[in-house]
Amino acid sequence: MAQKIAYHANCWGPLGGHPVGVTSIKDLVYQTFGDMNRAFADIAAAGYHAVELFDGNLLDFAGRMGELRGQLSEQGLHLLAVYGGGNFIYPDILEEELRRIERAANLAAEAGAIHFVVGGGAKRSSEPRDGDYDRLGQALDRVADIAERLGLCALYHPHLTTMAETPEQIRRVFAKTRIGFCPDTAHLAAAGGDPAALIAEHYDRVSYVHLKGWQRDPFAFTPIDRGDLDLLPTLHLLRERGFDGWITVELDAWPDPAEGARASMAWLRDKV
């Protein structure tokens, strides 16, 4: 397990969405506004073997996949996963969202990725309406169809500010879809869940894990060597179950991203 550790390149710059996406659903991608080549160098220097990218950062390399592969190869890395998302419950825009996802998934496959991860399920200003979870499940099945056609493993990432925050909401989503599960330890804990218990409950869907630290007060995501979330039960559970997939350490923002990557790797080397 220790040899399959990757890092997300998302905190080497401000994290946001592409500004064109405000008026064009087909362009509403996640984006880290930073130097990905610098991120790759820092990630490799910290001892990781692969990276995950946001869909927007991958799309920046459209038509230049050779350049991306070259940058990664120079650092001894490969592209493991791509992360995107969508509202998924509004029929009028769903086809635009799925076309965007298909475009990113095509590039992910071309670049040699294994996993395509999505978050989402829009949280309305009022309570969910009748059929929202059905629509979300159907959309996620279509994401799985797109990914599988391209040889990718599709996974759903329960996330704060979406329809899948609490353990009960996560169960409700997975009752409606066949997509896999990418658990994120910090998001699961911050929403009141026990990450190890949720992974055990849905283990037949788990082939890829996001490992992230979390601090309650003030609220913050942290490197995995600090904060209030005990990650050892999750690692023990994965070891007991014989998990042989990849783990990606993730940190949405950090003042010194290279230091955060090094600190998390040092903790892993000590604990795993």
Side-chain angles (χ1 to χ4, degrees):
M1 186 170 70
Q3 296 305 309
K4 289 187 172 182
I5 305 296
Y7 204 85
H8 204 304
N10 61 346
C11 70
W12 272 261
L15 188 160
H18 196 290
V20 178
V22 174
T23 55
S24 175
I25 293 297
K26 70 180 180 60
D27 298 304
L28 188 55
V29 292
Y30 285 102
Q31 192 95 24
T32 292
F33 299 97
D35 182 350
M36 289 297 98
N37 204 26
R38 171 65 185 276
F40 300 157
D42 288 346
I43 288 167
Y48 298 90
H49 303 286
V51 298
E52 179 174 325
L53 287 177
F54 279 145
D55 53 353
N57 293 100
L58 177 64
L59 288 164
D60 280 345
F61 287 95
R64 301 185 294 121
M65 281 296 106
E67 180 181 339
L68 174 60
R69 286 194 294 266
Q71 288 183 11
L72 290 168
S73 178
E74 185 178 345
Q75 302 298 338
L77 298 169
H78 68 271
L79 180 64
L80 173 66
V82 174
Y83 186 97
N87 293 279
F88 295 136
I89 64 168
Y90 304 123
D92 285 353
I93 65 170
L94 179 61
E95 296 306 320
E96 295 295 323
E97 292 183 319
L98 293 174
R99 287 192 188 98
R100 167 172 47 76
I101 285 168
E102 186 165 16
R103 183 180 177 218
N106 269 290
L107 291 177
E110 183 182 347
I114 298 171
H115 300 293
F116 195 88
V117 185
V118 294
K123 217 174 177 183
R124 296 182 185 269
S125 56
S126 57
E127 291 299 310
R129 297 180 186 174
D130 288 345
D132 277 354
Y133 280 93
D134 290 322
R135 284 185 285 273
L136 174 57
Q138 291 161 11
L140 293 176
D141 281 347
R142 292 185 64 184
V143 171
D145 290 341
I146 290 167
E148 289 164 6
R149 283 200 306 271
L150 296 166
L152 299 167
C153 176
L155 301 150
Y156 181 63
H157 178 301
H159 200 288
L160 296 174
T161 75
T162 72
M163 292 165 59
E165 294 180 321
T166 68
E168 293 76 15
Q169 291 170 334
I170 292 167
R171 291 185 195 106
R172 191 170 180 184
V173 172
F174 283 141
K176 304 289 185 178
T177 179
R178 63 184 182 82
I179 201 168
F181 176 26
C182 176
D184 180 305
T185 51
H187 281 272
L188 297 177
D194 177 333
L198 282 163
I199 291 170
E201 180 179 349
H202 303 285
Y203 188 77
D204 60 336
R205 296 179 185 258
V206 177
S207 60
Y208 181 45
V209 174
H210 279 186
L211 206 64
K212 183 158 57 188
W214 169 57
Q215 174 181 289
R216 286 185 177 84
D217 187 20
F219 183 97
F221 295 132
T222 70
I224 60 177
D225 67 332
R226 67 202 76 176
D228 299 309
L229 176 55
D230 182 3
L231 291 168
L232 289 178
T234 294
L235 294 176
H236 292 160
L237 182 279
L238 293 173
R239 186 180 297 114
E240 289 168 3
R241 294 294 183 97
F243 180 76
D244 64 354
W246 281 84
I247 293 174
T248 285
V249 180
E250 185 190 358
L251 186 56
D252 292 351
W254 199 248
D256 183 343
E259 183 275 330
R262 290 193 300 268
S264 289
M265 177 56 79
W267 186 88
L268 279 170
R269 284 175 171 158
D270 181 57
K271 302 297 183 184
V272 176

